[in-house]
Amino acid sequence: GSPAGLHIVDQFMFEMCKIPHINRRLDMLLAIRELPKCMRDLQPLIHKKIDMCQQLLSSGRFVAVLEYILAIGNYLNESAGKKKAKGFHLSSLAKLPELRGKDRTFTLLHALVEQIL
């Protein structure tokens, strides 16, 4: 039958279904509507992370540890025939306990702690 014979709500839904990509568009409108609240909720966490990063950067000891790790990495790379690095990704720090010595119980993390202490 004709859409004109439908209830007004059903006519509205019928017309809405004709809009291309209606799901994506409605999701986008919802995201735009909720974005300010999400930003307000995240702002304290973002500021806390920024403060933590600034504290780390201003810590001479932390910077010295990072420089030491870079020096160790460059030493290992040099013996492997690779070029010296100017820096490294912080995600590389997770590999420190994975790099083991000849006896397989001593890791690069152990060596780093021994040097620091």
Side-chain angles (χ1 to χ4, degrees):
S2 167
L6 296 173
H7 186 273
I8 188 79
V9 174
D10 294 328
Q11 288 179 20
F12 175 77
M13 291 305 294
F14 181 76
E15 292 300 318
M16 290 289 288
C17 289
K18 292 180 182 178
I19 299 173
H21 311 290
I22 186 70
N23 288 345
R24 288 188 201 159
R25 291 177 181 203
L26 290 174
D27 286 344
M28 185 60 69
L29 285 173
L30 183 61
I32 290 170
R33 182 175 176 244
E34 293 179 355
L35 183 64
K37 182 188 180 308
C38 291
M39 293 296 291
R40 279 192 308 276
D41 292 346
L42 288 174
Q43 208 158 14
L45 180 62
I46 292 168
H47 286 298
K48 195 178 283 187
K49 299 280 185 186
I50 290 170
D51 289 343
M52 290 170 26
C53 289
Q54 288 172 339
Q55 287 177 11
L56 286 174
L57 286 173
S58 64
S59 168
R61 288 182 177 172
F62 181 70
V63 172
V65 168
L66 293 179
E67 289 172 346
Y68 188 74
I69 293 170
L70 179 61
I72 291 172
N74 279 332
Y75 175 78
L76 294 172
N77 283 343
E78 185 179 327
S79 63
K82 296 180 181 177
K83 293 182 181 179
K84 282 191 174 187
K86 295 179 183 176
F88 59 90
H89 295 278
L90 290 179
S91 60
S92 301
L93 295 175
K95 295 179 184 177
L96 291 177
E98 296 172 9
L99 297 171
R100 299 187 176 278
K102 291 180 183 176
D103 67 359
R104 309 300 294 161
T105 60
F106 194 76
T107 68
L108 187 53
L109 183 60
H110 290 108
L112 177 64
V113 170
E114 280 185 8
Q115 290 297 315
I116 292 172
L117 299 176

